[in-house]
Amino acid sequence: VNISGKKKRGAKTLQEISGLCRLVDESGVFWTARACVRGKLIETNERLGKDPTLCAKFPTESGFLAIIATAPADMQKLKETGIGRE
């Protein structure tokens, strides 16, 4: 996918329930990581496939799952529901 420009043309549009990726825990149970916000998918972190420990070591830096561009109103909704960086 080629994403370009101010309006991020070519980016996949996500809804709150859109799946970002499938995760498997230590017991072999599969989970779907959801976007939890409407927006455009700008980037996924391909490094997590090689080093999944990045999520635990650097969750707000190199351990991110995806970068999603959201509208300001949707960011306010996230703040009100308690989903944040903490």
Side-chain angles (χ1 to χ4, degrees), residues 4-46:
S4 64
K6 185 176 179 181
K7 295 190 179 188
K8 306 302 179 203
R9 293 189 197 332
K12 181 177 179 181
T13 302
L14 300 173
Q15 298 299 320
E16 291 93 339
I17 62 168
S18 297
L20 293 173
C21 69
R22 299 266 313 197
L23 306 169
V24 62
D25 65 19
E26 293 174 345
S27 62
V29 176
F30 284 89
W31 302 83
T32 300
R34 306 253 178 230
C36 298
V37 66
R38 293 180 302 159
K40 292 187 177 191
L41 179 61
I42 304 302
E43 179 182 346
T44 57
N45 190 351
E46 301 295 329

Side-chain angles (χ1 to χ4, degrees), residues 40-61:
K40 292 187 177 191
L41 179 61
I42 304 302
E43 179 182 346
T44 57
N45 190 351
E46 301 295 329
R47 292 176 287 179
L48 291 178
K50 295 176 184 165
D51 186 6
T53 63
L54 289 173
C55 283
K57 292 179 186 174
F58 309 104
T60 60
E61 297 168 12

